[in-house]
Amino acid sequence: ATGNSVSAGQLLCGGLFSTDSLSNWCAAVALAHALQENATQKEQLLRVQLATSIGNPPVSLLQQCTNILSQGSKIQTRVGLLMLLCTWLSNCPIAVTHFLHNSANVPFLTGQIAENLGEEEQLVQGLCALLLGITIYFNDNSLESYMKEKLKQLIEKRIGKENFIEKLGFISKHELYSRASQKPQPNFPSPEYMIFDHEFTKLVKELEGVITKAIYKSSEEDKKEEEVKKTLEQHDSIVTHYKNMIREQDLQLEELKQQISTLKCQNEQLQTAVTQQASQIQQHKDQYNLLKVQLGKDNPHQGSYNDGAQMNGIQPEEIGRLQEEIEELKSNQELLQSQLAEKDSLIENLRSTQTSPGTNEQSSVTASARDSEQIAELKQELVTLKSQLNSQSLEITKLQTEKQELLQKTEAFVKSVPVPGESEAGMATETTDVEGRLSALLQETKELKNEIKALSEERTAIKEQLNSSNSTIAILQNERNKLQVDITDSKKEQDDLLVLLADQDQKILALTNKLKELGHPVEEEDELESGDQDDEDEENEDDGKDQDDI
């Protein structure tokens, strides 16, 4: 190829359809390697169309391979093309349908298998038998004329089941097959020995036994096997569906947890902001009160305007403080009056004691002297208390007078008309500014409260959503447990079937031994069928293990 004018696909097709048999084989093996275990590529390759000649309509790559195969080219070319077709059609029912859609392909294969040719052609016959067996085993019965049962009947009529199995065994008995199966690295002494590929030998080992079983199976067994396959596929699809749902629920749960943590962080940040805003509001209030005090001090006026300044400044605080002092003085006055009453009662008791007759003169003199001293002390305390009471009464009267004057001034300020002038306008402006700032602070406080309320509602909604997700997960877990119970029951049924099949094989083997002992000839196909049945049991056991893993 010169430059980038030719693609890799064009190179492969050029080698596949060239006149050189070695190029045909290498291109076919390379393309087969690209299709191994790649169902998507197998389906996409069915869309490839080739222009064979000018004026003729294009044909598909699959059809062109079968056309060259039917033209009777060299053995190396045909073996390469048959290996490519077997790899392409295996595990791909759509490719099998496309192959069977050409009505000339099945007659060609049956004709090749039914003929008695030389040893050189036996290898091609074996590969044709393998390809025809693949069309039976991987057939989805979408074509009515080439369903599984009809193809089996065709083999029974034109070839014979025993003859077909014999021709299929030619592949594994070939010397070059044994060499290729031993070493994965290609090592050929000359180009003529390039017949088999190591990967293709593994495919033959995998398919030879299952094709043999498929040929001898009855239609009822095929139906049962299809039903079992469909049931298993349904179980697998249901389990896969619920696994995906649980995985999606886990992802959603993780997202919700992240959202909750994010909202918690945002809530903490907002609470911090609210605290800061509250402190700022308190600072603004303090500044506002300070401004009111400063306005009362910095703008003294005469008459009613002076009273108005006091009212806007410190007058309400003074009134409150004076009221508290008046209440405190009243309480003190009541306390002093109660103490005075106690002292009066004590004096009366002393006086009554003094007037009562004594037992002897000395004790009377001593008692009278002591009583006189106590009376003097009590009189002195009484005078002191009365002076304190009078002073507090005067102070209470004075405070009440001041309170009345302040109330009168407040009423006079409300009724008075403000004095016009520049100072009045400035005062009004400053008062308006302070009131505006206060209203703005109140508005900010209201907005913060609304935000806190909205966050609380969002938090409640998230909690409800989390509870709903938890209930959904619990429901899915219950359904999953039910499915696991169903799968366990299906496995038990399969184990019972395997036990029945094993018992049947033992009976067949016992009968075969009896026939041998009696001298009755036993065909090798019967022994092969029992060996294949053992292989089937082993494969079913492996499938059971795989089901346990699932």
Side-chain angles (χ1 to χ4, degrees):
T2 59
N4 297 325
S5 58
V6 182
S7 64
Q10 290 173 339
L11 286 175
L12 284 174
C13 290
L16 192 63
F17 305 127
S18 68
T19 56
D20 183 14
S21 61
L22 184 60
S23 297
N24 300 150
W25 188 88
C26 290
V29 171
L31 196 55
H33 274 266
L35 296 177
Q36 285 176 358
E37 298 180 0
N38 194 344
T40 304
Q41 192 64 42
K42 290 178 181 179
E43 294 177 5
Q44 290 180 352
L45 204 63
L46 294 172
R47 304 174 183 175
V48 176
Q49 299 289 325
L50 302 174
T52 55
S53 60
I54 300 174
N56 292 328
V59 296
S60 65
L61 177 61
L62 182 66
Q63 183 60 42
Q64 184 65 16
C65 291
T66 56
N67 291 339
I68 295 174
L69 188 64
S70 61
Q71 290 175 2
S73 54
K74 295 181 180 180
I75 292 179
Q76 193 175 36
T77 300
R78 285 183 287 169
V79 170
L81 290 172
L82 285 170
M83 287 195 299
L84 172 60
L85 291 174
C86 290
T87 305
W88 194 347
L89 269 61
S90 63
N91 293 300
C92 187
I94 297 176
V96 171
T97 303
H98 278 73
F99 181 80
L100 295 176
H101 196 269
N102 187 355
S103 58
N105 289 335
V106 174
F108 169 74
L109 292 178
T110 54
Q112 289 288 318
I113 299 169
E115 290 182 2
N116 293 321
L117 303 175
E119 294 182 359
E120 294 182 352
E121 295 293 333
Q122 287 181 354
L123 181 59
V124 176
Q125 286 183 325
L127 291 173
C128 289
L130 178 64
L131 182 58
L132 186 58
I134 289 172
T135 60
I136 294 174
Y137 185 73
F138 296 104
N139 194 337
D140 58 358
N141 293 325
S142 59
L143 290 178
E144 187 177 357
S145 57
Y146 290 110
M147 298 176 68
K148 284 185 179 182
E149 193 61 30
K150 290 185 178 180
L151 289 174
K152 290 180 185 179
Q153 294 174 1
L154 184 65
I155 291 173
E156 180 70 24
K157 291 179 181 180
R158 296 188 180 182
I159 303 171
K161 292 183 179 179
E162 293 79 8
N163 190 21
F164 179 85
I165 299 302
E166 181 182 1
K167 297 292 178 70
L168 183 62
F170 286 163
I171 302 174
S172 57
K173 294 177 182 178
H174 201 278
E175 180 183 0
L176 297 178
Y177 175 88
S178 301
R179 290 183 182 179
S181 62
Q182 293 173 359
K183 296 181 180 180
Q185 295 83 8
N187 185 12
F188 305 106
S190 63
E192 290 79 11
Y193 289 90
M194 297 174 67
I195 297 297
F196 283 108
D197 174 62
H198 178 75
E199 295 295 330
F200 181 73
T201 60
K202 294 194 293 185
L203 181 65
V204 173
K205 290 179 182 178
E206 178 184 350
L207 295 178
E208 186 175 6
V210 297
I211 289 174
T212 303
K213 294 176 185 177
I215 293 298
Y216 284 105
K217 276 183 182 178
S218 63
S219 59
E220 294 180 356
E221 292 176 345
D222 285 337
K223 289 180 180 178
K224 290 181 180 179
E225 185 178 356
E226 289 293 331
E227 290 178 357
V228 171
K229 283 183 179 180
K230 289 180 179 178
T231 304
L232 292 176
E233 288 177 356
Q234 289 177 356
H235 282 298
D236 292 341
S237 63
I238 292 171
V239 171
T240 304
H241 174 67
Y242 281 105
K243 282 183 178 179
N244 293 330
M245 288 182 64
I246 292 172
R247 192 178 296 110
E248 291 176 358
Q249 290 289 337
D250 290 338
L251 293 175
Q252 291 178 0
L253 187 60
E254 288 296 328
E255 291 178 357
L256 290 175
K257 287 181 179 179
Q258 293 177 359
Q259 290 179 3
I260 289 172
S261 61
T262 303
L263 289 174
K264 284 182 178 178
C265 294
Q266 291 179 358
N267 191 13
E268 291 175 358
Q269 293 176 357
L270 289 172
Q271 287 179 353
T272 304
V274 168
T275 305
Q276 293 176 355
Q277 290 289 338
S279 63
Q280 290 179 2
I281 289 169
Q282 187 61 39
Q283 291 176 1
H284 289 313
K285 287 182 178 179
D286 295 339
Q287 291 177 2
Y288 173 70
N289 292 329
L290 182 61
L291 287 172
K292 288 169 70 176
V293 173
Q294 290 178 355
L295 289 173
K297 290 181 178 180
D298 296 340
N299 296 286
H301 297 282
Q302 297 178 353
S304 61
Y305 185 74
N306 189 9
D307 297 335
Q310 291 180 358
M311 191 65 188
N312 286 329
I314 60 174
Q315 186 62 41
E317 296 177 358
E318 282 187 359
I319 292 172
R321 182 174 58 81
L322 291 173
Q323 289 177 350
E324 291 175 356
E325 290 178 358
I326 290 169
E327 294 294 330
E328 185 178 357
L329 290 172
K330 285 182 179 179
S331 62
N332 289 333
Q333 184 182 8
E334 292 175 356
L335 180 61
L336 291 172
Q337 286 178 354
S338 63
Q339 291 177 358
L340 183 60
E342 290 176 359
K343 296 296 182 182
D344 290 336
S345 64
L346 183 59
I347 291 170
E348 292 296 331
N349 290 330
L350 289 173
R351 285 177 180 177
S352 62
T353 304
Q354 186 178 6
T355 57
S356 64
T359 57
N360 55 52
E361 185 178 355
Q362 187 177 359
S363 61
S364 176
V365 172
T366 304
S368 63
R370 187 171 59 252
D371 292 336
S372 299
E373 291 176 357
Q374 289 181 356
I375 289 168
E377 290 177 358
L378 290 172
K379 285 182 178 180
Q380 184 65 31
E381 288 181 1
L382 182 60
V383 171
T384 305
L385 291 172
K386 285 182 177 181
S387 63
Q388 289 181 358
L389 182 60
N390 292 328
S391 64
Q392 288 181 356
S393 298
L394 292 173
E395 191 173 358
I396 289 170
T397 304
K398 182 180 178 181
L399 289 172
Q400 288 178 348
T401 304
E402 290 180 358
K403 179 181 177 182
Q404 289 297 119
E405 291 177 357
L406 289 171
L407 291 173
Q408 291 175 1
K409 289 179 180 180
T410 302
E411 293 175 356
F413 173 76
V414 172
K415 295 178 180 179
S416 64
V417 178
V419 179
E422 296 179 356
S423 59
E424 180 183 358
M427 185 68 181
T429 303
E430 291 176 355
T431 304
T432 304
D433 293 338
V434 171
E435 290 176 352
R437 292 174 64 183
L438 181 60
S439 62
L441 290 173
L442 293 174
Q443 183 65 26
E444 289 179 359
T445 305
K446 185 177 180 181
E447 291 176 356
L448 289 173
K449 288 181 179 179
N450 292 331
E451 289 179 359
I452 291 170
K453 184 178 179 181
L455 287 173
S456 300
E457 292 175 354
E458 288 180 2
R459 188 175 181 182
T460 304
I462 289 171
K463 285 183 179 179
E464 292 176 356
Q465 189 174 4
L466 181 60
N467 294 331
S468 176
S469 300
N470 291 333
S471 62
T472 304
I473 290 171
I475 293 170
L476 292 175
Q477 289 290 347
N478 293 331
E479 292 179 356
R480 182 182 179 186
N481 293 333
K482 291 180 181 178
L483 288 174
Q484 288 179 350
V485 171
D486 294 338
I487 292 171
T488 304
D489 296 337
S490 299
K491 181 189 170 186
K492 289 181 180 178
E493 292 176 0
Q494 290 179 359
D495 292 337
D496 295 337
L497 290 174
L498 289 174
V499 170
L500 292 174
L501 290 174
D503 294 336
Q504 186 179 3
D505 290 339
Q506 293 295 331
K507 292 179 181 178
I508 293 172
L509 183 60
L511 293 173
T512 304
N513 292 331
K514 287 183 180 180
L515 289 173
K516 287 182 179 181
E517 291 174 359
L518 294 172
H520 189 277
V522 179
E523 295 181 358
E524 293 181 358
E525 287 76 12
D526 296 336
E527 296 179 356
L528 181 60
E529 182 178 2
S530 63
D532 293 337
Q533 187 65 36
D534 294 335
D535 294 339
E536 182 179 5
D537 296 340
E538 293 177 358
E539 290 178 1
N540 288 331
E541 291 177 0
D542 293 338
D543 293 339
K545 292 180 180 179
D546 294 338
Q547 186 66 30
D548 292 339
D549 294 337
I550 292 174

